[in-house]
mmCIF file of all heavy atoms in Angstrom:
data_model
loop_
_atom_site.group_PDB
_atom_site.id
_atom_site.type_symbol
_atom_site.label_atom_id
_atom_site.label_comp_id
_atom_site.label_asym_id
_atom_site.label_seq_id
_atom_site.Cartn_x
_atom_site.Cartn_y
_atom_site.Cartn_z
ATOM 1 N N PHE A 28 13.822 -2.002 20.405
ATOM 2 C CA PHE A 28 14.036 -3.205 19.595
ATOM 3 C C PHE A 28 14.904 -2.930 18.375
ATOM 4 O O PHE A 28 15.560 -3.825 17.862
ATOM 5 C CB PHE A 28 12.692 -3.797 19.154
ATOM 6 C CG PHE A 28 12.039 -3.048 18.030
ATOM 7 C CD1 PHE A 28 12.207 -3.453 16.714
ATOM 8 C CD2 PHE A 28 11.253 -1.942 18.273
ATOM 9 C CE1 PHE A 28 11.608 -2.768 15.688
ATOM 10 C CE2 PHE A 28 10.651 -1.248 17.245
ATOM 11 C CZ PHE A 28 10.818 -1.664 15.947
ATOM 12 N N ALA A 29 14.897 -1.675 17.878
ATOM 13 C CA ALA A 29 15.663 -1.368 16.673
ATOM 14 C C ALA A 29 16.911 -0.560 16.965
ATOM 15 O O ALA A 29 17.649 -0.225 16.047
ATOM 16 C CB ALA A 29 14.782 -0.604 15.677
ATOM 17 N N SER A 30 17.163 -0.270 18.232
ATOM 18 C CA SER A 30 18.267 0.632 18.557
ATOM 19 C C SER A 30 19.621 0.030 18.247
ATOM 20 O O SER A 30 20.585 0.752 18.007
ATOM 21 C CB SER A 30 18.194 1.023 20.035
ATOM 22 O OG SER A 30 18.295 -0.141 20.855
ATOM 23 N N SER A 31 19.706 -1.295 18.241
ATOM 24 C CA SER A 31 20.991 -1.937 17.979
ATOM 25 C C SER A 31 21.125 -2.438 16.552
ATOM 26 O O SER A 31 22.131 -3.051 16.202
ATOM 27 C CB SER A 31 21.186 -3.110 18.951
ATOM 28 O OG SER A 31 20.156 -4.068 18.761
ATOM 29 N N ILE A 32 20.113 -2.189 15.716
ATOM 30 C CA ILE A 32 20.125 -2.676 14.333
ATOM 31 C C ILE A 32 20.558 -1.547 13.423
ATOM 32 O O ILE A 32 19.961 -0.469 13.440
ATOM 33 C CB ILE A 32 18.729 -3.187 13.919
ATOM 34 C CG1 ILE A 32 18.251 -4.271 14.881
ATOM 35 C CG2 ILE A 32 18.759 -3.703 12.488
ATOM 36 C CD1 ILE A 32 16.840 -4.725 14.603
ATOM 37 N N PRO A 33 21.600 -1.731 12.613
ATOM 38 C CA PRO A 33 22.013 -0.673 11.679
ATOM 39 C C PRO A 33 20.948 -0.461 10.612
ATOM 40 O O PRO A 33 20.191 -1.359 10.273
ATOM 41 C CB PRO A 33 23.319 -1.209 11.089
ATOM 42 C CG PRO A 33 23.218 -2.691 11.234
ATOM 43 C CD PRO A 33 22.457 -2.938 12.506
ATOM 44 N N GLY A 34 20.906 0.707 10.061
ATOM 45 C CA GLY A 34 19.923 1.029 9.035
ATOM 46 C C GLY A 34 19.158 2.283 9.407
ATOM 47 O O GLY A 34 19.539 3.030 10.303
ATOM 48 N N ILE A 35 18.049 2.512 8.711
ATOM 49 C CA ILE A 35 17.195 3.669 8.975
ATOM 50 C C ILE A 35 15.932 3.170 9.655
ATOM 51 O O ILE A 35 15.220 2.321 9.115
ATOM 52 C CB ILE A 35 16.851 4.417 7.673
ATOM 53 C CG1 ILE A 35 18.129 4.873 6.968
ATOM 54 C CG2 ILE A 35 15.954 5.614 7.954
ATOM 55 C CD1 ILE A 35 17.892 5.528 5.628
ATOM 56 N N HIS A 36 15.661 3.687 10.825
ATOM 57 C CA HIS A 36 14.501 3.233 11.593
ATOM 58 C C HIS A 36 13.704 4.448 12.051
ATOM 59 O O HIS A 36 14.074 5.122 13.002
ATOM 60 C CB HIS A 36 14.948 2.393 12.790
ATOM 61 C CG HIS A 36 15.762 1.199 12.414
ATOM 62 N ND1 HIS A 36 15.205 0.026 11.978
ATOM 63 C CD2 HIS A 36 17.114 1.019 12.380
ATOM 64 C CE1 HIS A 36 16.167 -0.845 11.704
ATOM 65 N NE2 HIS A 36 17.335 -0.263 11.937
ATOM 66 N N VAL A 37 12.605 4.704 11.338
ATOM 67 C CA VAL A 37 11.726 5.828 11.643
ATOM 68 C C VAL A 37 10.403 5.267 12.132
ATOM 69 O O VAL A 37 9.953 4.200 11.690
ATOM 70 C CB VAL A 37 11.526 6.724 10.400
ATOM 71 C CG1 VAL A 37 10.600 7.892 10.701
ATOM 72 C CG2 VAL A 37 12.873 7.236 9.893
ATOM 73 N N ASN A 38 9.765 5.974 13.047
ATOM 74 C CA ASN A 38 8.509 5.524 13.614
ATOM 75 C C ASN A 38 7.469 5.242 12.532
ATOM 76 O O ASN A 38 7.384 5.944 11.526
ATOM 77 C CB ASN A 38 7.987 6.581 14.593
ATOM 78 C CG ASN A 38 6.704 6.152 15.268
ATOM 79 O OD1 ASN A 38 5.624 6.401 14.766
ATOM 80 N ND2 ASN A 38 6.840 5.494 16.414
ATOM 81 N N PHE A 39 6.649 4.241 12.775
ATOM 82 C CA PHE A 39 5.659 3.778 11.809
ATOM 83 C C PHE A 39 4.739 4.904 11.341
ATOM 84 O O PHE A 39 4.473 5.045 10.140
ATOM 85 C CB PHE A 39 4.828 2.646 12.434
ATOM 86 C CG PHE A 39 3.642 2.232 11.625
ATOM 87 C CD1 PHE A 39 3.780 1.375 10.541
ATOM 88 C CD2 PHE A 39 2.370 2.697 11.937
ATOM 89 C CE1 PHE A 39 2.677 0.988 9.798
ATOM 90 C CE2 PHE A 39 1.265 2.322 11.199
ATOM 91 C CZ PHE A 39 1.417 1.460 10.125
ATOM 92 N N LEU A 40 4.226 5.710 12.260
ATOM 93 C CA LEU A 40 3.290 6.775 11.890
ATOM 94 C C LEU A 40 3.947 7.816 10.993
ATOM 95 O O LEU A 40 3.321 8.328 10.057
ATOM 96 C CB LEU A 40 2.725 7.442 13.143
ATOM 97 C CG LEU A 40 1.782 6.587 13.994
ATOM 98 C CD1 LEU A 40 1.294 7.373 15.193
ATOM 99 C CD2 LEU A 40 0.594 6.087 13.163
ATOM 100 N N ILE A 41 5.210 8.120 11.270
ATOM 101 C CA ILE A 41 5.925 9.091 10.438
ATOM 102 C C ILE A 41 6.117 8.535 9.033
ATOM 103 O O ILE A 41 5.934 9.237 8.035
ATOM 104 C CB ILE A 41 7.272 9.462 11.080
ATOM 105 C CG1 ILE A 41 7.051 10.150 12.430
ATOM 106 C CG2 ILE A 41 8.089 10.373 10.157
ATOM 107 C CD1 ILE A 41 8.326 10.487 13.160
ATOM 108 N N VAL A 42 6.479 7.254 8.948
ATOM 109 C CA VAL A 42 6.652 6.634 7.629
ATOM 110 C C VAL A 42 5.333 6.603 6.876
ATOM 111 O O VAL A 42 5.287 6.768 5.649
ATOM 112 C CB VAL A 42 7.237 5.217 7.772
ATOM 113 C CG1 VAL A 42 7.383 4.561 6.398
ATOM 114 C CG2 VAL A 42 8.580 5.264 8.466
ATOM 115 N N LEU A 43 4.226 6.389 7.608
ATOM 116 C CA LEU A 43 2.913 6.376 6.974
ATOM 117 C C LEU A 43 2.633 7.723 6.295
ATOM 118 O O LEU A 43 2.135 7.780 5.162
ATOM 119 C CB LEU A 43 1.845 6.089 8.031
ATOM 120 C CG LEU A 43 0.600 5.323 7.577
ATOM 121 C CD1 LEU A 43 0.975 3.948 7.050
ATOM 122 C CD2 LEU A 43 -0.374 5.183 8.742
ATOM 123 N N VAL A 44 2.983 8.806 6.964
ATOM 124 C CA VAL A 44 2.797 10.145 6.392
ATOM 125 C C VAL A 44 3.727 10.351 5.193
ATOM 126 O O VAL A 44 3.327 10.909 4.166
ATOM 127 C CB VAL A 44 3.040 11.223 7.464
ATOM 128 C CG1 VAL A 44 3.006 12.617 6.842
ATOM 129 C CG2 VAL A 44 2.011 11.113 8.577
ATOM 130 N N ILE A 45 4.975 9.880 5.329
ATOM 131 C CA ILE A 45 5.923 10.002 4.208
ATOM 132 C C ILE A 45 5.424 9.227 2.997
ATOM 133 O O ILE A 45 5.495 9.702 1.851
ATOM 134 C CB ILE A 45 7.317 9.507 4.636
ATOM 135 C CG1 ILE A 45 7.895 10.412 5.729
ATOM 136 C CG2 ILE A 45 8.267 9.470 3.442
ATOM 137 C CD1 ILE A 45 9.192 9.907 6.325
ATOM 138 N N ALA A 46 4.898 8.028 3.240
ATOM 139 C CA ALA A 46 4.377 7.209 2.140
ATOM 140 C C ALA A 46 3.216 7.912 1.446
ATOM 141 O O ALA A 46 3.124 7.924 0.206
ATOM 142 C CB ALA A 46 3.938 5.849 2.662
ATOM 143 N N ALA A 47 2.310 8.514 2.242
ATOM 144 C CA ALA A 47 1.181 9.236 1.648
ATOM 145 C C ALA A 47 1.678 10.412 0.814
ATOM 146 O O ALA A 47 1.165 10.670 -0.288
ATOM 147 C CB ALA A 47 0.231 9.714 2.746
ATOM 148 N N ALA A 48 2.694 11.123 1.314
ATOM 149 C CA ALA A 48 3.218 12.288 0.590
ATOM 150 C C ALA A 48 3.893 11.869 -0.714
ATOM 151 O O ALA A 48 3.691 12.497 -1.768
ATOM 152 C CB ALA A 48 4.201 13.053 1.471
ATOM 153 N N LEU A 49 4.698 10.798 -0.666
ATOM 154 C CA LEU A 49 5.408 10.351 -1.871
ATOM 155 C C LEU A 49 4.438 9.842 -2.933
ATOM 156 O O LEU A 49 4.611 10.116 -4.127
ATOM 157 C CB LEU A 49 6.421 9.266 -1.514
ATOM 158 C CG LEU A 49 7.668 9.727 -0.748
ATOM 159 C CD1 LEU A 49 8.573 8.537 -0.442
ATOM 160 C CD2 LEU A 49 8.444 10.772 -1.552
ATOM 161 N N THR A 50 3.429 9.093 -2.518
ATOM 162 C CA THR A 50 2.476 8.575 -3.505
ATOM 163 C C THR A 50 1.614 9.700 -4.077
ATOM 164 O O THR A 50 1.249 9.671 -5.259
ATOM 165 C CB THR A 50 1.593 7.493 -2.878
ATOM 166 O OG1 THR A 50 1.092 7.952 -1.618
ATOM 167 C CG2 THR A 50 2.365 6.207 -2.670
ATOM 168 N N THR A 51 1.276 10.678 -3.243
ATOM 169 C CA THR A 51 0.544 11.835 -3.769
ATOM 170 C C THR A 51 1.377 12.566 -4.817
ATOM 171 O O THR A 51 0.868 12.951 -5.880
ATOM 172 C CB THR A 51 0.175 12.799 -2.636
ATOM 173 O OG1 THR A 51 -0.635 12.120 -1.673
ATOM 174 C CG2 THR A 51 -0.580 14.007 -3.169
ATOM 175 N N LEU A 52 2.666 12.745 -4.521
ATOM 176 C CA LEU A 52 3.560 13.396 -5.487
ATOM 177 C C LEU A 52 3.648 12.577 -6.771
ATOM 178 O O LEU A 52 3.596 13.134 -7.878
ATOM 179 C CB LEU A 52 4.945 13.562 -4.868
ATOM 180 C CG LEU A 52 6.014 14.224 -5.755
ATOM 181 C CD1 LEU A 52 5.594 15.638 -6.127
ATOM 182 C CD2 LEU A 52 7.364 14.228 -5.044
ATOM 183 N N ALA A 53 3.756 11.258 -6.637
ATOM 184 C CA ALA A 53 3.796 10.401 -7.828
ATOM 185 C C ALA A 53 2.497 10.509 -8.619
ATOM 186 O O ALA A 53 2.510 10.544 -9.858
ATOM 187 C CB ALA A 53 4.049 8.950 -7.416
ATOM 188 N N GLY A 54 1.365 10.575 -7.902
ATOM 189 C CA GLY A 54 0.086 10.713 -8.586
ATOM 190 C C GLY A 54 -0.017 12.021 -9.351
ATOM 191 O O GLY A 54 -0.545 12.059 -10.465
ATOM 192 N N ILE A 55 0.502 13.096 -8.761
ATOM 193 C CA ILE A 55 0.471 14.397 -9.443
ATOM 194 C C ILE A 55 1.362 14.376 -10.675
ATOM 195 O O ILE A 55 0.992 14.873 -11.746
ATOM 196 C CB ILE A 55 0.899 15.509 -8.467
ATOM 197 C CG1 ILE A 55 -0.157 15.688 -7.370
ATOM 198 C CG2 ILE A 55 1.129 16.822 -9.210
ATOM 199 C CD1 ILE A 55 0.254 16.646 -6.282
ATOM 200 N N ILE A 56 2.553 13.781 -10.539
ATOM 201 C CA ILE A 56 3.495 13.742 -11.668
ATOM 202 C C ILE A 56 2.917 12.962 -12.837
ATOM 203 O O ILE A 56 2.987 13.384 -13.995
ATOM 204 C CB ILE A 56 4.840 13.147 -11.211
ATOM 205 C CG1 ILE A 56 5.537 14.108 -10.237
ATOM 206 C CG2 ILE A 56 5.739 12.863 -12.412
ATOM 207 C CD1 ILE A 56 6.796 13.542 -9.625
ATOM 208 N N ILE A 57 2.323 11.792 -12.551
ATOM 209 C CA ILE A 57 1.771 10.994 -13.643
ATOM 210 C C ILE A 57 0.436 11.562 -14.113
ATOM 211 O O ILE A 57 0.052 11.435 -15.278
ATOM 212 C CB ILE A 57 1.611 9.521 -13.222
ATOM 213 C CG1 ILE A 57 1.217 8.638 -14.415
ATOM 214 C CG2 ILE A 57 0.571 9.376 -12.130
ATOM 215 C CD1 ILE A 57 2.246 8.561 -15.502
ATOM 216 N N GLY A 58 -0.281 12.250 -13.202
ATOM 217 C CA GLY A 58 -1.602 12.747 -13.545
ATOM 218 C C GLY A 58 -1.604 13.997 -14.394
ATOM 219 O O GLY A 58 -2.500 14.188 -15.220
ATOM 220 N N LEU A 59 -0.615 14.875 -14.212
ATOM 221 C CA LEU A 59 -0.607 16.141 -14.950
ATOM 222 C C LEU A 59 -0.703 15.940 -16.460
ATOM 223 O O LEU A 59 -1.524 16.593 -17.120
ATOM 224 C CB LEU A 59 0.635 16.958 -14.579
ATOM 225 C CG LEU A 59 0.519 17.784 -13.289
ATOM 226 C CD1 LEU A 59 1.856 18.413 -12.931
ATOM 227 C CD2 LEU A 59 -0.545 18.877 -13.457
ATOM 228 N N PRO A 60 0.112 15.059 -17.056
ATOM 229 C CA PRO A 60 -0.056 14.853 -18.502
ATOM 230 C C PRO A 60 -1.169 13.872 -18.838
ATOM 231 O O PRO A 60 -1.791 13.971 -19.900
ATOM 232 C CB PRO A 60 1.308 14.300 -18.933
ATOM 233 C CG PRO A 60 1.831 13.598 -17.720
ATOM 234 C CD PRO A 60 1.323 14.371 -16.545
#
Protein backbone atom coordinates (compact mmCIF):
# COMPACT_ATOMS: atom_id res chain seq x y z
CA PHE A 1 0.00 0.00 0.00
CA ALA A 2 2.92 2.38 0.62
CA SER A 3 5.28 1.19 -2.09
CA SER A 4 4.14 3.83 -4.56
CA ILE A 5 3.96 6.72 -2.06
CA PRO A 6 7.07 8.92 -1.76
CA GLY A 7 8.39 9.52 1.73
CA ILE A 8 9.74 7.38 4.55
CA HIS A 9 7.74 4.25 5.27
CA VAL A 10 9.00 2.01 8.07
CA ASN A 11 7.07 -0.87 9.58
CA PHE A 12 4.82 0.04 12.50
CA LEU A 13 6.59 -2.20 15.04
CA ILE A 14 10.00 -0.77 14.15
CA VAL A 15 8.70 2.78 14.53
CA LEU A 16 7.19 1.80 17.89
CA VAL A 17 10.66 0.77 19.10
CA ILE A 18 12.20 3.96 17.67
CA ALA A 19 9.57 6.05 19.45
CA ALA A 20 10.29 4.29 22.76
CA ALA A 21 14.04 4.86 22.31
CA LEU A 22 13.68 8.56 21.42
CA THR A 23 11.33 9.31 24.31
CA THR A 24 13.59 7.44 26.73
CA LEU A 25 16.52 9.54 25.51
CA ALA A 26 14.44 12.70 25.93
CA GLY A 27 13.48 11.60 29.43
CA ILE A 28 17.12 11.04 30.36
CA ILE A 29 18.18 14.42 28.94
CA ILE A 30 15.50 16.34 30.81
CA GLY A 31 15.77 14.13 33.90
CA LEU A 32 19.51 14.40 34.56
CA PRO A 33 19.35 18.03 35.73
